[in-house]
Each structure stands twice: as C-alpha cells, then as structure tokens.
Amino acid sequence: MKENLLSQIFNPVDLKKLSKNQLPQLAQELREFIIDIVSEKEGHLGASLGVIELTIALHYVFNTPEDQLVWDVGHQAYGHKILTERKDIFHTNRELHGISGFPKRSESLYDTFGVGHSSTSISAALGMAIASQLKGENNKQHIAVIGDASIASGMAFEGLNHAGVTDANLLVILNDNAIGIDPSVGALKDYLTAVKEGKNPRQNNIIKSLNFDYSGPIDGHDFKALLSELTRLKSVKGPKFLHVITTKGKGLQLAEEDQVKYHAPGKFEAKTGKIHPKDEDNLPPKFQDVFGLTLVELAQENEKIIGITPAMPTGSSMKFMMQAFPKRAFDVGIAEQHAVTLSAGMATQGMIVFCNIYSTFLQRAYDQIIHDVALQNLPVIFCLDRAGLVGEDGATHHGVFDISYLNCIPNMIICAPKDEIELRNIMYTASLGLKQPIAIRYPRGRGKNINWQQPFQKLRLNEVKCLTKGKDIAVLSTGTIATNVEKAITKLEPNKMISHYHFPTIKPINEKELISIFKDHHKIITIEDGVLKGGFGSIINTFTLQNELKNKVVNLGIPDNFVEHGSVSELQHICELDSNHIYQTIITI
Amino acid sequence: MKENLLSQIFNPVDLKKLSKNQLPQLAQELREFIIDIVSEKEGHLGASLGVIELTIALHYVFNTPEDQLVWDVGHQAYGHKILTERKDIFHTNRELHGISGFPKRSESLYDTFGVGHSSTSISAALGMAIASQLKGENNKQHIAVIGDASIASGMAFEGLNHAGVTDANLLVILNDNAIGIDPSVGALKDYLTAVKEGKNPRQNNIIKSLNFDYSGPIDGHDFKALLSELTRLKSVKGPKFLHVITTKGKGLQLAEEDQVKYHAPGKFEAKTGKIHPKDEDNLPPKFQDVFGLTLVELAQENEKIIGITPAMPTGSSMKFMMQAFPKRAFDVGIAEQHAVTLSAGMATQGMIVFCNIYSTFLQRAYDQIIHDVALQNLPVIFCLDRAGLVGEDGATHHGVFDISYLNCIPNMIICAPKDEIELRNIMYTASLGLKQPIAIRYPRGRGKNINWQQPFQKLRLNEVKCLTKGKDIAVLSTGTIATNVEKAITKLEPNKMISHYHFPTIKPINEKELISIFKDHHKIITIEDGVLKGGFGSIINTFTLQNELKNKVVNLGIPDNFVEHGSVSELQHICELDSNHIYQTIITI
C-alpha cells in the first residue's frame, strides 16, 4: 500500500516537498478526501473535483500566500482549503462556527479575498497587483481563477478591459468546463466551445483583443501541461491569461455525467456517487417550485407572460417554464443587470415579465431596478427567491437587505407572502396586469402546505390579514416568519390573547388598517426575516411617529451585522427570530 | 437664400419627404439650431453635434417610432428630439416643466426608452426585439446607438453576449468618437483605435467573436455611407453591429478641439463657440474641487493614498490627482462595479483608496459595496459626489437614495459634511486610517467658504454639532441642507429660540447626544437632502421609538416619488426643503 501523501500536508510548504511524480497520487487522495466528507456532510462537490489538479499545481508552482490567489465564486475552493491548513477542520464545512463554504479572509491568510457572488476575482486580483506594483513588489503574482460562466458577467469584462491597459502582474486563469451551476450560455460560451473543438484561438480572440497575453487551451487534468505552463507564466510580467479545460465533477463518474445535480448533491454514497434517495412524497413543496410550476400554469393562459433568470434555471425552478415554453423563457447567464433591463425593454412592448433573481443577487442590478424599471414605472414582476436567512451558504448569500433597498424606490410594490398559496395568488394577481413594478420575496426551502395548488384567487395586494385576534398586544409580521409567530402564540397561556397580523404587502403599507390596529392594541411587535435598518419595522416606526401614535413598538429582525453560516433555525435563534424569542418578547413587552 | 428645411419638419414623416441631396443642408440647419439654443440656455452640446448626420439618417431610413430607436445615455439625443415633434419646445430643455435633457418615455412616442445612466441601450433594445419576435412582428427593427465609452461597461457586454445567441432584430450602432465625457480608456478602446488606424477589423474582432454581423467602420458624417449601410442593414435579420466613426462637437471648431470642455460648455457665443468668460475669482469652490485638491494634499503626505474614478476625472475633479500622481490615480472607465472591487483589492494590500463615484452611479455597484467591501470590512473611502438633488439633469441623476441604501449595510460609516471645511477634515480623518469603510456624501455645485483651505483637523466622526442653541424645538440636519435651516432660523422672531444640530455622521448615529437633545426639546424636526424612506429622519424615528421617547418628530426630506428636472432651488421648493418651508414647519410644529 502506498503511503498516504495528503496526511503529510499541512500547508503548501509541505506540498512543495513532494516530487512532481507524486502529484497524481495526491490528486487522487484529495478527491477521495473531499468525496468522503461531502458525501456525508453535504456541500458543493462538482466544482472542487474539477480543479483538483489545478489547485495542486497552483500551490506547487506559486509562492502562496505571498502570491495572491483569488478564487472566483469559491464553490471550487475545497481542495484549496484542505491544502492550506484546514484539512483537520474541513468536516466542519458550512456548519455553524465551522469553516465557511467559500474562501474568507478572516479564516485564513491563504484566502486573499472573500467570495460567494461571481465575477469579482479579476477586479480584486488586479487591485492587489497594482498595489504590489506601487510597493515595488515586482515579482509577486496575483492570480484570479474564474469559470466560463462567471467570466461572461459584465463585471469580469470591466476587470479585463482595465487590466489589459495595465502592466500589473495579473494572471487570469479561465477554468473552462462549460458550466456554472447550470450549463453556461451566451455568445462568449459559444466562442470558447469553438476553441475547444479546434477553432484556432488566434482568430477573433476576444482575450487577445483585450490586450492579454493568451495561452492555451490546455488540459486542466494534465499535471505536466499545468506545471509547465504555470511555471512559464510565473516569470511573465504584466497581464496574462491561461485557458484551462476541465471537467466538472472529474473523478466521480456520476458527477461527471450529471453535472447539474452534482453541483451540490446532498448526501450520497462516497464509493459510487449514488445519491441517497429521499422520500419527498409527502413533503410540502419548495417555494422555488411553487414559483416555477405556477409560472407555467399562468403562462398557459396568457401568451404575454415571459420568464427570465440570470443563470439559475435549476435553482429558481425557471427550468419548468423553459421546458414548457422554450421561446418565452430565458436564461441570460450571470448577468443580473442585463436581466433587469431586458425585462424592462420587454415590458415596454406589453409583455408580462417574471424576472426571477435571488434576493442577494438582485443587489447586482440595483441601479437597473431604479433607473430602468421603477423610474419608467414599468410593470416588471420581480420574484426574489432566497429572501431572508438562507442558512449554510452564509453571509454572502443571505437575502436580508431587499426590503430596505427596495422600499426607498418610488413606484415599487413589495410583497412577502406567508405561504405557498399566497405566493401563488400574488403571482396570479400580478400577472393580471399591474401599473407598476412589484417585488415578491420568498425564502429558500419548503413551505408547509401539501395541497398548495388551489384555484387562483385575485388578491387586493395591500390587504392585511388577521391571523389571530386578541387584544393589548399585536404582532405584525411579513412573509413566512409568520410561522414562527404562530408557534410562539401556541406557547402562551390560554388567557393571554394577543393579535397577529400578517402583511403580505410591505409597500405601500396599509395605513388605514394600521391606524385601526394601533387603536386596538397598546403594544406592537414587528417581526421580519430581514435587516432591521430600513426594513418593515422601520416603516412601522415612521408610520407611528407621523401619526403621533403613542403605542409602544418593538422591532424584531436581523441586527446590524453580517450573519454567518449555519442552519436557518440556528441563525434565526442567533438573530432572535425564533419562536422562543418571539414568545419571550410577547410576555415581557 | 436657400429655403429653410428644418422649419418644415415636425416629425420624421416630413423628414422623409426631403431628397437625399437636401440632407446635408438639413444637417447644417440642425447644427445651427442646437448651437443657437444651447449657447443661450446651456445643456449638453458636443455629443449631439457629433451625431447630427447619424440622427437624420436613422429617422430617414427607419420607420420610427414603429422601429424602436434607443439612445444610450441620451446626451446625444437633442437632434432626435428636434426632429421628433419637439422643435418648438426645445428651448425649454432641462427647465422645470420643460422637456428633459434625456430621452423620456412619457415625453414622446419616439423616446422608446428613458435613459441617463450609460450602457442600458443594448439590453433594452434586445428586450424590445425579442418581444416583437414573439408577437410575430418580424420586420420591425430595434436599434441601440451606443458610444465607445458606454459599450465598454459591463452591462453592455452582458447585452451583447446574450444578443449574439438570439436571432432577434437588433441593430447595435457603435458611435465611436473615442470619448465619453472624458476621453475613453481601456483595452477595448485601444482595440477600436487600432481599427480606426487601419488594423484589419477581421482580426481578433471582439464583436465578431460575440457572433454579431459586424460592418464598418464607416464615416458617421458621410450621408452616402450612412444611408447606404443603414438601408442594407434594415433588411438584415438577427443581431448586427455597425461601427460608425464620428467627431464629438462636429461642426463647431472649438468644440471639436476641446471636446471635454464642450461636452456641456455653459453659455457661449453661438457664432464662434467662444465660451463667455465667467468671473469665478471670488466664488466659493465647487465641492468636487474641494475633494480633488484635498486629495492631492493628502496624497503628498501619504504614498499609500490612491484615487479611483469610473470615467469622471473631470466631473469629480479626480483629474488633479491624476495630474499630480499619475501612477496612483485611475480612471477605469464606466465601470462602477469594477471600480469598487478594485478598491477593495487594493485595500487588502494596505492602500488607502478614495473611490469617487457620483451618488446616483454608486447604485451600479451596490452589490460590490456590500459583498466585497463591507462584508470584509475593508476601509475603502467612498466619496459620493452629486449627492442630493442635482438640478437640471433630473430624475435619472438625483443622488437621493444613498443614505437609505447604505444605512442598511453593516460596518459602513456614512458622513455628510455641512460645508467644504468639514468635507476636507472628514477626508483627512478617513485618510489617517479607519477600520471600516466610509461613504462621504456631498452635493453638486459650490460651497460657501472662500477660505476653505484651512489646516487639517482630525474629527471625532460621530460628533454632533450644535449650530444654534435654543429650546423647545430642535432641528436636526445632515449635510449641506444645514444652510437652508440656518436661513430659516434667521426669519424667526428674535424671541423664538430654537436649536439646530448638524449630524456630520449619519451612521453610526450618536445615540448619546440624541438622548440629550430629546431631553432638552419637546419637538424634533429632521431634514435631509435625500429620500425620506429609510433616510436620516427614519433613523431618528426608530431611535425615538426604541428609546420610548415621547417627543413629537417631523421629518422633512424628499417624498416617495421621482423628482423631475429643474434648478436645485426650484426642486428644493417642490420637495419642501427650502428655507421658507423649514420656517413654516418650525412655526407650526
């Protein structure tokens, strides 16, 4: 039996002690290590398996952490983490107080730049490279490893366009596997595919036209090619670009064959890759599926309905619309800005556009919402999946700012349904034709109703729903956090009768109803799955003072700090949004 | 004397009655018309002069408004407005209740998409083109006219990348004049310059690599070339790209020679182009110059200081730093996302980065502020020029949302100095080294202190300044709107003693000081040059309720609708932020 190499490696200093001939064995061990742990603890799989050789080669050739290595997005950085002093704690990946699923500066010197959202690596690495140049550190290299889905995003282009006119020591490595989370799309992807299929990369080379020293494509699983090319590039000054071809999921056959499913497969059998079957028959649906299936139902009745997703057909369940109406559903790639303004352009022609973007990624299109949609009062329907705390993806991915950043925009309607049926009916109501844009926020994960596919009902959007009628104290909630309030209320003594009102519409807030609630109750508790600053509670606070009401008002929501990773229930506990804390607030207010 | 052609034209139907031979004369008349009016009424000049022939040719060849014509940014659309039913009201350009300086849907059917911010035209026109395709309108064309500065922005790339894999009837016309407001920068610009200088555009053609039918470059002042090529393209299906070379300021010699100055030259002599000299000797400085000159002073003392601007070296006065320290100051082009993450990358290496972005344009980099800067707590110094109401540029350009969209971000400090000296000292204080990011907002236009270049003073950033001490009523203001409060106070009866507190720091708010102010005054008035929703007043409201204070609180600020164009004082009057309204609020509260 061969000696185990991985067990001897604490950090890249140890890695460099191996001979080149030993690296394939190390790659094999690293793959197995990742598969063993991810198969049990869950997490992102395919991306890291695809860059095992590249990861080893980078740390073998370059002088990390002195040379600055930036991983774009970071799904692919498990191998990097394991080789850089985190092998022994890798099993805590994505757990509360464990290591993050993404590179993170506060976790390790080797994580030079925190990531999670795509396409930031070129800008960040260029900033580092220019800084080094100014400090006279002329031999330092700065490396951005970016996938073909991420490099097609506008921000990456901006970085390339700037880098091409500098002489900073930037190395951009394109990890080209033709897939992000879903298969890559767009003209650039077609171009890269042509290169892989034998087109001469010297013709119409977009990278060369941006003034980069282009090399490749090379096989990203071939150590000889990788080590030789990286060693050459190490001493090349200025901006340079290496095109590397890899296979997502490399080394685990099923993961290679179904790359979408094995992006983050959940638990599986380490040896075969077989995913453990889950009995999902009697579970309530995921909100994303409520969105996706409802959209198809609506689209069947109205040919003006369009669906748009920036690179999340699977995650948002827009795939159902893409299957049912391929001409009316668009995956535009990682291009949130374009997605929003494309929607606006369609809306000018009378189309009813459902633009589905995760709450956290809509931050990428903030100006387009204001300038292209709301200012022109175009009735685009934004569906904000993954709103609120998202759990294990952590601080980069929580969708907790949307109420605050949307509420200040004139003309916007903001809705947050409490369950699947309400989400469905808000979508239906919006599809009937609004005179202004609307944002509908709903969380990651499952709802609570098996029989959610009820006949559509048109809603009055600013209706307030009294879920429990009591006196003295009123809890005002918006969105699915209503469930936690309901649980808290069941814990109360039977004689403690409090009211619970659900606000499906946050903007415009129903002031008439609020006046009546404030009249009937001395004490008001607001609660939301979003940041307190500028959120639902803050809207109620301003209402209170503007109307010179003297009620006591207490706001529950996410405090003014970034929330780390952990399960949603753990994070709700930390943020004091769990039913116990709501109960405590009710009995002590 | 030739008959006047322009006077016969109300809209493109009339234009089409002219013979091709008459078009050069019309171009001459249109130029003179624009020069005559802009020389007196001010506005943007050079961009429209550069596209006179292109504008005429487009409306002559295409079937507007049925064919959809989208102007990117819109500085260049004066000729378009004049030829499309607005000749007689063109003299009201940029005035209160007059026509907008930018294309605007509510103003004309010919303005198919409202613009102001750059790089939206390709996405919008593609959305229209796809909608037409779905409606079976297969002969309709959809045209985006975009400059070479705007096409280098990431959003434009996202639009091209998507368009290249569609077969929608999109025509992208690159209006290549090598300048935006300042000269264009970046690798793409270098590539376009090489093409103009004779490089074969068939080599490494970035546009062709994105799967567009590329034609050009052609001379954009040559009617024969324009009409022939546009007529050909009219019947070409699918995505196509025409590269047109123009001269900004064409036809007015001084404007051609100094294209930066003549972008928006103010008043000038129509015949010669000579700009009327202004006596600016005894005027207080522009805030942008306070920023620009102060930055140079600071940079002289600290070599870690860096300046970054996305395409606004002149407008932000970053040009002073670029002249003094060319290696430490960067114009990255219209690339706000890149600018922010580049700053973050530099900050990881210990650089002290002043990233200057207009408040309205920072909306383009919202995710980067949250995800790349604040989450990693990198001490980037954001200088937000043009914060608050900006006047004649109107709804697309008011910098009124920043307090709301920044206040919800953990770790951010938000400052708003009341005058030049305070701006200077906040910059100085930030340059000494912070442990977190800071945004400093200041307005368009001039300050009020001739002797603003006082020795630097380090500030305690969350200090509250009592400007007037009285009793009963306290006005709390932030930023330069303090001046209006001061004026209002002078109108009061001498026995009406009220207090006025200035908050240079909005976040974190100084709660200790607030407690004391609320104790000493029954009634509180807040005022800010920003939207009420989520702004400074809203922060005070939440403070009030959280501390169970019973004071009456009234908020003055910008209401929840988009504010149109007009002078700043007219708009302050409309938004009830002028000294008269403040006075009325004080005496009636």
Side-chain angles (χ1 to χ4, degrees):
Chain A
M1 192 180 164
K2 283 188 197 173
E3 69 178 326
N4 186 296
L5 300 177
L6 184 57
S7 65
Q8 303 165 20
I9 294 177
F10 175 63
N11 66 24
V13 176
D14 304 317
L15 171 64
K16 288 183 168 69
K17 293 176 190 160
L18 299 185
S19 72
K20 287 181 189 179
N21 295 337
Q22 291 177 297
L23 298 185
Q25 184 193 331
L26 177 66
Q28 178 65 18
E29 292 175 15
L30 187 52
R31 272 203 175 85
E32 283 166 10
F33 187 89
I34 290 173
I35 290 171
D36 278 349
I37 290 185
V38 175
S39 66
E40 271 192 37
K41 313 282 285 191
E42 305 193 14
H44 293 101
L45 179 70
S48 284
L49 295 185
V51 295
I52 292 289
E53 287 82 8
L54 180 60
T55 303
I56 292 172
L58 282 167
H59 285 294
Y60 194 77
V61 171
F62 289 95
N63 182 27
T64 56
E66 190 57 29
D67 288 333
Q68 303 281 303
L69 178 56
V70 184
W71 296 95
D72 206 273
V73 185
H75 288 146
Q76 78 287 54
Y78 290 1
H80 160 83
K81 291 207 173 200
I82 293 163
L83 294 179
T84 56
E85 310 188 353
R86 284 163 285 181
K87 186 173 73 233
D88 295 343
I89 50 172
F90 184 68
H91 63 278
T92 68
N93 186 34
R94 294 162 56 85
E95 288 176 3
L96 185 68
H97 310 312
I99 63 169
S100 166
F102 301 97
K104 190 173 169 187
R105 279 171 59 78
S106 57
E107 194 176 292
S108 167
L109 264 183
Y110 291 90
D111 291 2
T112 59
F113 203 76
V115 288
H117 293 192
S118 88
S119 316
T120 64
S121 62
I122 298 173
S123 299
L126 180 62
M128 295 169 185
I130 291 174
S132 294
Q133 198 174 33
L134 289 170
K135 293 196 276 186
E137 296 169 351
N138 294 321
N139 294 318
K140 206 163 153 176
Q141 285 293 356
H142 312 78
I143 306 152
V145 182
I146 182 167
D148 57 294
S150 299
I151 205 169
S153 182
M155 186 183 178
F157 176 81
E158 292 178 357
L160 290 171
N161 191 42
H162 181 199
V165 291
T166 72
D167 53 359
N169 283 338
L170 173 72
L171 169 58
V172 177
I173 297 180
L174 173 61
N175 171 31
D176 185 0
N177 56 16
I179 189 165
I181 295 176
D182 287 287
S184 302
V185 296
L188 180 60
K189 184 255 181 176
D190 285 0
Y191 167 75
L192 294 171
T193 303
V195 169
K196 277 187 279 195
E197 290 170 351
K199 179 187 162 88
N200 182 348
R202 268 135 212 96
Q203 279 180 334
N204 290 329
N205 185 312
I206 192 168
I207 303 303
K208 282 171 73 85
S209 72
L210 293 174
N211 211 26
F212 269 77
D213 176 350
Y214 172 93
S215 65
I218 64 170
D219 177 354
H221 303 298
D222 175 351
F223 270 117
K224 201 173 153 201
L226 282 171
L227 294 175
S228 142
E229 191 56 21
L230 290 176
T231 304
R232 183 185 76 79
L233 289 168
K234 192 179 173 182
S235 56
V236 174
K237 303 289 182 202
K240 49 214 164 274
F241 189 102
L242 175 60
H243 187 171
V244 175
I245 311 292
T246 65
T247 302
K248 191 167 177 175
K250 181 76 176 182
L252 188 66
Q253 195 182 338
L254 288 175
E256 290 187 37
E257 285 168 8
D258 191 345
Q259 298 180 326
V260 173
K261 189 175 277 175
Y262 282 80
H263 173 70
K267 291 189 182 174
F268 62 94
E269 195 178 283
K271 203 166 173 186
T272 62
K274 224 175 136 187
I275 294 174
H276 295 311
K278 285 185 217 163
D279 183 8
E280 300 189 338
D281 283 354
N282 289 307
L283 292 179
K286 290 182 180 172
F287 277 97
Q288 67 183 64
D289 289 339
V290 175
F291 162 81
L293 295 169
T294 300
L295 184 60
V296 172
E297 279 182 78
L298 295 172
Q300 276 158 352
E301 301 298 317
N302 186 339
E303 63 181 14
K304 288 195 169 172
I305 288 179
I306 304 271
I308 293 180
T309 172
M312 290 294 167
T314 303
S316 71
S317 292
M318 184 67 81
K319 64 181 180 188
F320 297 129
M321 175 86 180
M322 293 169 73
Q323 284 152 8
F325 299 101
K327 288 191 175 167
R328 288 158 57 194
F330 301 87
D331 171 8
V332 301
I334 304 179
E336 291 82 6
Q337 304 189 95
H338 169 64
V340 169
T341 303
L342 182 80
S343 302
M346 289 180 176
T348 66
Q349 307 302 301
M351 295 298 172
I352 298 170
V353 187
F354 284 79
C355 181
N356 188 308
I357 304 186
Y358 291 6
S359 167
T360 188
F361 297 143
L362 193 62
Q363 295 163 190
R364 276 278 170 96
Y366 188 52
D367 187 54
Q368 288 73 18
I369 303 171
I370 296 176
H371 179 272
D372 300 331
V373 176
L375 174 53
Q376 308 194 81
N377 215 1
L378 294 169
V380 177
I381 301 161
F382 293 103
C383 295
L384 275 58
D385 197 341
R386 271 59 162 183
L389 294 167
V390 297
E392 292 79 1
D393 276 343
T396 52
H397 281 62
H398 296 310
V400 294
F401 302 110
D402 56 50
I403 300 177
S404 307
Y405 72 66
L406 293 174
N407 185 52
C408 63
I409 305 176
N411 297 336
M412 285 296 299
I413 300 173
I414 309 172
C415 287
K418 72 179 175 61
D419 58 26
E420 306 94 313
I421 294 168
E422 201 171 63
L423 168 57
R424 202 171 141 70
N425 286 328
I426 294 174
M427 287 177 65
Y428 169 69
T429 306
S431 79
L432 297 178
L434 295 175
K435 294 199 183 328
Q436 61 198 103
I438 184 171
I440 311 169
R441 75 187 307 257
Y442 54 90
R444 187 169 182 278
R446 293 183 186 274
K448 52 184 185 179
N449 296 290
I450 306 281
N451 297 314
W452 59 276
Q453 264 169 321
Q454 303 292 324
F456 287 121
Q457 284 197 319
K458 185 175 175 183
L459 305 180
R460 283 191 298 115
L461 281 184
N462 74 338
E463 198 169 8
V464 175
K465 290 191 184 155
C466 179
L467 303 182
T468 309
K469 186 76 185 84
K471 55 184 184 174
D472 197 36
I473 298 172
V475 180
L476 317 186
S477 71
T478 184
T480 53
I481 201 83
T483 305
N484 291 12
V485 180
E486 288 168 336
K487 277 187 207 155
I489 289 174
T490 64
K491 298 176 203 241
L492 294 171
E493 302 283 325
N495 64 343
K496 181 89 175 174
M497 299 280 286
I498 73 148
S499 296
H500 176 199
Y501 295 91
H502 161 59
F503 285 69
T505 304
I506 301 167
K507 180 176 184 177
I509 198 84
N510 187 329
E511 301 215 342
K512 201 176 144 196
E513 199 78 32
L514 275 175
I515 291 280
S516 151
I517 295 168
F518 273 64
K519 212 175 124 195
D520 292 348
H521 305 81
H522 293 299
K523 297 171 182 174
I524 307 289
I525 298 166
T526 69
I527 179 161
E528 64 201 292
D529 187 7
V531 296
L532 284 166
K533 289 208 182 280
F536 173 65
S538 139
I539 295 168
I540 302 294
N541 294 346
T542 287
F543 161 85
T544 308
L545 286 178
Q546 280 176 351
N547 291 279
E548 299 188 44
L549 300 167
K550 300 301 175 196
N551 310 56
K552 177 168 185 179
V553 182
V554 169
N555 307 130
L556 301 181
I558 295 168
D560 193 28
N561 50 254
F562 287 101
V563 180
E564 298 301 341
H565 52 282
S567 72
V568 170
S569 63
E570 286 167 335
L571 301 181
Q572 285 189 348
H573 177 72
I574 289 171
C575 296
E576 306 189 338
L577 291 172
D578 57 309
S579 60
N580 277 333
H581 191 85
I582 299 170
Y583 168 79
Q584 286 299 331
T585 307
I586 293 171
I587 62 170
T588 55
I589 190 175
Chain B
M1 193 180 163
K2 284 186 194 171
E3 68 177 329
N4 185 298
L5 300 176
L6 184 58
S7 65
Q8 302 165 21
I9 294 176
F10 176 62
N11 66 25
V13 176
D14 303 318
L15 171 64
K16 288 183 168 69
K17 293 175 189 159
L18 299 186
S19 72
K20 288 182 187 177
N21 294 336
Q22 289 177 301
L23 298 184
Q25 184 192 330
L26 178 66
Q28 178 66 17
E29 290 175 18
L30 188 52
R31 273 207 172 84
E32 283 166 11
F33 187 89
I34 291 173
I35 290 171
D36 278 350
I37 290 184
V38 175
S39 67
E40 270 192 36
K41 313 281 287 192
E42 306 192 15
H44 293 101
L45 180 70
S48 285
L49 294 185
V51 295
I52 293 289
E53 288 81 8
L54 179 60
T55 303
I56 292 171
L58 283 166
H59 285 293
Y60 194 78
V61 170
F62 288 95
N63 182 28
T64 57
E66 191 56 28
D67 288 333
Q68 304 280 302
L69 177 57
V70 184
W71 296 96
D72 205 273
V73 185
H75 288 146
Q76 79 286 54
Y78 289 1
H80 159 82
K81 292 208 172 200
I82 293 163
L83 295 177
T84 56
E85 310 189 351
R86 283 163 284 180
K87 186 173 71 231
D88 296 343
I89 50 170
F90 184 68
H91 64 278
T92 68
N93 185 34
R94 294 163 56 86
E95 287 177 4
L96 186 68
H97 308 313
I99 64 169
S100 166
F102 300 98
K104 190 174 169 185
R105 279 171 59 78
S106 59
E107 193 177 291
S108 167
L109 266 182
Y110 292 89
D111 292 3
T112 59
F113 203 77
V115 287
H117 293 191
S118 88
S119 317
T120 64
S121 62
I122 297 172
S123 300
L126 180 62
M128 295 169 185
I130 292 173
S132 295
Q133 199 174 32
L134 289 170
K135 293 196 277 186
E137 297 170 350
N138 294 322
N139 293 319
K140 209 163 151 175
Q141 285 292 357
H142 312 78
I143 306 152
V145 183
I146 182 167
D148 58 291
S150 299
I151 206 170
S153 182
M155 186 183 179
F157 176 82
E158 292 178 356
L160 291 171
N161 191 43
H162 180 200
V165 291
T166 71
D167 52 359
N169 283 337
L170 173 71
L171 168 59
V172 176
I173 297 180
L174 173 62
N175 171 32
D176 184 359
N177 56 17
I179 188 165
I181 295 176
D182 286 286
S184 302
V185 296
L188 179 59
K189 186 254 180 177
D190 285 359
Y191 167 74
L192 295 171
T193 303
V195 169
K196 278 187 280 195
E197 288 171 352
K199 178 188 163 84
N200 182 349
R202 267 135 213 96
Q203 282 182 331
N204 290 329
N205 186 313
I206 190 169
I207 303 303
K208 282 171 74 86
S209 72
L210 293 175
N211 208 26
F212 269 77
D213 176 348
Y214 171 93
S215 65
I218 64 170
D219 177 353
H221 303 298
D222 175 351
F223 270 117
K224 203 174 151 200
L226 282 171
L227 295 175
S228 142
E229 191 56 20
L230 290 176
T231 304
R232 183 185 77 79
L233 289 168
K234 193 179 172 180
S235 56
V236 174
K237 304 289 183 202
K240 48 215 165 275
F241 188 102
L242 175 60
H243 186 172
V244 175
I245 311 291
T246 66
T247 302
K248 189 166 179 174
K250 180 76 176 182
L252 187 68
Q253 195 183 338
L254 287 175
E256 291 186 34
E257 286 167 6
D258 191 344
Q259 298 181 325
V260 174
K261 190 176 276 174
Y262 282 80
H263 173 70
K267 293 189 186 180
F268 62 92
E269 196 178 282
K271 204 166 171 184
T272 61
K274 224 175 134 186
I275 294 173
H276 295 312
K278 285 185 216 162
D279 182 7
E280 301 189 337
D281 283 354
N282 289 307
L283 293 180
K286 291 182 179 172
F287 278 97
Q288 67 183 66
D289 289 339
V290 173
F291 163 80
L293 296 169
T294 300
L295 184 60
V296 172
E297 279 181 79
L298 296 172
Q300 276 158 352
E301 300 299 316
N302 186 340
E303 63 181 15
K304 289 196 169 172
I305 288 179
I306 304 272
I308 293 180
T309 172
M312 290 295 168
T314 303
S316 71
S317 293
M318 185 67 82
K319 64 181 179 188
F320 297 129
M321 177 85 179
M322 291 168 74
Q323 284 153 9
F325 298 101
K327 289 191 176 168
R328 289 159 56 196
F330 301 87
D331 171 9
V332 300
I334 304 178
E336 290 83 4
Q337 303 188 95
H338 169 65
V340 169
T341 305
L342 182 79
S343 301
M346 289 180 176
T348 65
Q349 306 302 303
M351 295 297 173
I352 297 169
V353 187
F354 285 78
C355 181
N356 187 309
I357 305 188
Y358 291 6
S359 167
T360 188
F361 297 143
L362 194 62
Q363 295 163 190
R364 278 277 171 96
Y366 188 50
D367 187 54
Q368 288 73 18
I369 302 170
I370 296 176
H371 179 273
D372 300 331
V373 177
L375 174 53
Q376 308 194 79
N377 215 1
L378 294 169
V380 177
I381 301 161
F382 294 103
C383 295
L384 276 57
D385 197 342
R386 270 63 160 180
L389 294 166
V390 297
E392 292 79 1
D393 276 341
T396 51
H397 281 62
H398 296 309
V400 294
F401 301 111
D402 56 49
I403 299 175
S404 307
Y405 72 65
L406 293 174
N407 185 53
C408 62
I409 305 176
N411 296 338
M412 285 296 299
I413 299 172
I414 310 173
C415 287
K418 72 178 175 60
D419 58 27
E420 306 93 313
I421 295 166
E422 201 171 60
L423 169 56
R424 201 172 143 71
N425 285 328
I426 294 173
M427 287 177 65
Y428 169 69
T429 305
S431 79
L432 296 178
L434 295 175
K435 294 199 183 329
Q436 60 197 105
I438 182 171
I440 311 169
R441 74 187 307 257
Y442 54 90
R444 186 171 182 274
R446 293 184 186 275
K448 52 185 186 178
N449 296 292
I450 305 282
N451 298 315
W452 59 276
Q453 263 167 322
Q454 303 292 324
F456 287 120
Q457 284 197 319
K458 185 175 176 182
L459 304 181
R460 282 191 300 117
L461 280 184
N462 75 338
E463 197 169 10
V464 176
K465 289 192 184 155
C466 179
L467 303 182
T468 308
K469 185 76 185 82
K471 56 183 184 174
D472 198 36
I473 299 172
V475 180
L476 317 186
S477 71
T478 183
T480 55
I481 202 83
T483 305
N484 290 13
V485 179
E486 287 168 336
K487 278 186 203 154
I489 289 174
T490 63
K491 297 176 204 243
L492 294 170
E493 301 284 324
N495 63 342
K496 181 90 174 173
M497 299 281 285
I498 71 149
S499 296
H500 177 199
Y501 295 91
H502 162 60
F503 285 68
T505 303
I506 301 167
K507 181 177 184 176
I509 200 82
N510 186 328
E511 302 216 342
K512 200 177 145 197
E513 199 77 33
L514 274 175
I515 291 280
S516 150
I517 294 169
F518 272 63
K519 211 176 125 195
D520 292 348
H521 305 81
H522 293 299
K523 298 170 182 175
I524 307 290
I525 299 167
T526 69
I527 179 162
E528 64 200 294
D529 189 7
V531 296
L532 284 166
K533 288 206 184 283
F536 173 64
S538 140
I539 296 168
I540 302 295
N541 295 346
T542 288
F543 162 83
T544 307
L545 286 178
Q546 280 176 349
N547 291 278
E548 300 188 44
L549 301 167
K550 298 303 174 194
N551 308 58
K552 177 168 184 178
V553 181
V554 169
N555 307 129
L556 301 180
I558 295 169
D560 192 29
N561 51 254
F562 286 101
V563 180
E564 299 299 342
H565 52 281
S567 72
V568 169
S569 64
E570 287 167 335
L571 300 181
Q572 285 189 348
H573 177 72
I574 289 171
C575 296
E576 306 190 336
L577 291 173
D578 57 310
S579 60
N580 277 332
H581 191 85
I582 300 169
Y583 168 79
Q584 287 297 331
T585 308
I586 293 171
I587 62 172
T588 55
I589 189 175

